[in-house]
Amino acid sequence: MAEIVLKDIVKRFGDLTAVNNLSLNIKDKEFLVLLGPSGCGKTTTLRCISGLETPDEGKILIDGEDVTIKRASRRDIAFVFQLYALYPQLTAYGNIAFPLLTQRTDKKKIKEEVNKVAEILKIKHILNKKPKELSGGDMQRVALGRAIVRRPKAFLLDEPIGTLDAKFREEMRTELKKLHVDIGATTVYVTHDQVEAMSMGDSIAIMNLGVLQQVGTPYEIYTNPKNLFVANFIGSPGMNFINCKPERDSSGRLVLRLLSIGTHIQISDEIQKIILDKKEEEKELALGVRPEDMILSMKKEENYIETKVFVVERTGSYNIVNIKLGSDIVRVRTLPTVALKVRETVYIGIDMKRISIFNKKDGNSIM
């Protein structure tokens, strides 16, 4: 398998810059997820890696070789599309064997390789069926089999399970990750689904409007987002943002004033130092906190805020309680056994060890 390196990639379509100065290093045997909303440039990036698009600027290296202007057929990669693109006149066996047939591989070797792949994907029982006789999940497996049988340097997957129903997507996520581990492939996977990205990726590259926002492990991106876009995009629901401003209290200690309600909350010495070192004192900031890091209590405690329940969303395994803080609405994740009524008085605390703070002007984290 191979390392894939993108250096300062730019791809334009007329006046639209689909990918803007993107640099990315995908390690050998890594499962990297390109994540972002529709139109962010992730599929264009994947097509540039594959050779289906040629970048206007920058370089692409696969296994140390510059392939920027090489045709797709000469890059030794396999591309699996969201729509399976199977040959309707061929059986599942014929579709999987097709890449080997074009390479004029010996028939005995073809049979051996197809059966090996079919065993991995658990589709030996459908090898004699044509695409019209197969379910969506089976067609996806056949498309994957066609890619795997070539043993390429890298696999490029463009939302390969996006058309499947929710239950089957969960099963296919597990199978795709296990398949990646079993064959030891370098894999680049495109999706707009952050749950898919978090559950599958060794690392995640988040894009927006053609620009790479952050690269890191799922844990790094979730706990230490680089900017407001990443913080809001990752998580279900996303991070809460409360407009605030650092101020000095009567003792001279730095605190945060929540602008929507005028309440002050205490912050640790470490966060005070960060604000002072970054010269963020007196600037308007956004306090970011995940729903699970907000604490809901029925009694007043130190550094807790009195408020009322706005809406309760019950999901079965947990509740999301929407709380209104002046003009801000924040979400608190609770156990499903927590029974609250709309407009009921509650007290909200924040786990200050797990907060993020962002500069409102440029959107970047100061942490």
Side-chain angles (χ1 to χ4, degrees):
M1 298 304 164
E3 179 184 53
I4 301 171
V5 179
L6 308 182
K7 294 184 177 179
D8 305 318
I9 296 299
V10 177
K11 180 61 184 177
R12 304 183 188 91
F13 298 98
D15 295 333
L16 173 68
T17 302
V19 180
N20 193 354
N21 200 36
L22 186 148
S23 294
L24 188 61
N25 192 332
I26 305 164
K27 298 172 188 173
D28 182 31
K29 299 182 181 179
E30 183 177 29
F31 194 116
L32 179 126
V33 179
L34 283 172
L35 175 67
S38 297
C40 72
K42 56 189 184 295
T43 293
T44 301
T45 300
L46 199 73
R47 289 174 66 85
C48 286
I49 297 171
S50 71
L52 296 176
E53 300 284 356
T54 303
D56 297 299
E57 297 176 28
K59 285 185 177 181
I60 299 172
L61 293 93
I62 298 178
D63 203 14
E65 179 187 1
D66 188 343
V67 299
T68 312
I69 58 172
K70 276 195 171 185
R71 295 195 306 270
S73 59
R74 300 187 62 196
R75 297 197 183 194
D76 195 15
I77 52 90
F79 203 129
V80 179
F81 298 89
Q82 181 178 13
L83 300 175
Y84 320 114
L86 300 178
Y87 298 108
Q89 73 276 19
L90 299 179
T91 61
Y93 181 98
N95 271 283
I96 296 171
F98 190 80
L100 299 179
L101 287 168
T102 60
Q103 295 171 2
R104 298 182 181 178
T105 305
D106 175 76
K107 285 186 177 181
K108 185 179 178 183
K109 180 68 173 174
I110 290 174
K111 186 175 182 180
E112 182 182 315
E113 291 298 321
V114 171
N115 283 329
K116 193 183 297 182
V117 167
E119 187 72 43
I120 292 170
L121 294 170
K122 299 180 177 62
I123 53 171
K124 289 191 81 171
H125 62 290
I126 63 165
L127 288 179
N128 293 323
K129 293 184 178 181
K130 290 187 176 180
K132 65 181 181 182
E133 303 173 76
L134 303 178
S135 67
D138 286 339
M139 284 193 283
Q140 187 62 75
R141 285 185 173 89
V142 173
L144 286 166
R146 185 174 56 190
I148 295 165
V149 77
R150 289 181 45 234
R151 303 286 173 182
K153 287 182 178 178
F155 291 101
L156 310 180
L157 308 177
D158 187 10
E159 304 204 47
I161 59 177
T163 59
L164 304 180
D165 62 67
K167 178 64 177 172
F168 201 68
R169 277 205 308 274
E170 288 179 9
E171 294 175 10
M172 284 301 293
R173 284 204 301 261
T174 304
E175 290 193 24
L176 283 171
K177 184 64 180 183
K178 183 176 184 302
L179 184 62
H180 164 77
V181 173
D182 289 346
I183 63 181
T186 303
T187 303
V188 186
Y189 186 101
V190 161
T191 183
H192 64 273
D193 185 330
Q194 54 96 8
V195 174
E196 218 167 86
M198 295 288 286
S199 62
M200 296 176 70
D202 298 325
S203 56
I204 301 172
I206 300 180
M207 296 182 68
N208 187 40
L209 300 175
V211 178
L212 183 64
Q213 302 292 314
Q214 185 172 356
V215 183
T217 65
Y219 180 78
E220 288 168 349
I221 286 174
Y222 190 80
T223 57
N224 192 21
K226 188 177 179 181
N227 55 42
L228 286 168
F229 173 81
V230 174
N232 186 51
F233 194 77
I234 291 290
S236 181
M239 184 176 277
N240 294 303
F241 302 115
I242 305 170
N243 294 325
C244 63
K245 194 174 183 179
E247 291 182 352
R248 299 280 179 178
D249 64 11
S250 57
S251 66
R253 179 181 172 84
L254 203 63
V255 294
L256 290 180
R257 179 164 67 90
L258 307 186
L259 298 180
S260 60
I261 55 175
T263 301
H264 291 87
I265 59 171
Q266 302 291 325
I267 52 177
S268 68
D269 293 341
E270 181 186 1
I271 294 173
Q272 289 184 68
K273 186 175 186 305
I274 290 170
I275 291 172
L276 293 170
D277 288 348
K278 296 284 182 71
K279 296 181 170 56
E280 299 288 341
E281 193 175 3
E282 299 300 322
K283 292 183 182 178
E284 192 169 329
L285 306 175
L287 171 64
V289 56
R290 297 283 179 195
E292 62 270 25
D293 297 326
M294 299 197 75
I295 309 153
L296 190 148
S297 175
M298 302 307 293
K299 61 181 181 178
K300 178 67 174 174
E301 298 184 42
E302 187 179 358
N303 223 25
Y304 276 49
I305 303 160
E306 181 178 333
T307 184
K308 292 185 183 295
V309 175
F310 186 62
V311 171
V312 179
E313 304 171 43
R314 295 176 176 84
T315 69
S317 57
Y318 58 87
N319 291 343
I320 297 295
V321 182
N322 292 256
I323 302 294
K324 200 163 187 179
L325 298 179
S327 59
D328 295 323
I329 292 181
V330 299
R331 291 184 168 98
V332 183
R333 182 166 169 162
T334 72
L335 292 171
T337 51
V338 175
L340 294 168
K341 297 176 182 178
V342 173
R343 291 187 289 276
E344 186 172 356
T345 298
V346 292
Y347 299 89
I348 297 299
I350 297 171
D351 185 345
M352 299 303 286
K353 294 177 182 177
R354 297 178 62 83
I355 65 169
S356 297
I357 301 179
F358 304 88
N359 181 298
K360 282 279 288 183
K361 189 172 181 180
D362 60 21
N364 291 326
S365 172
I366 71 167
M367 303 297 282

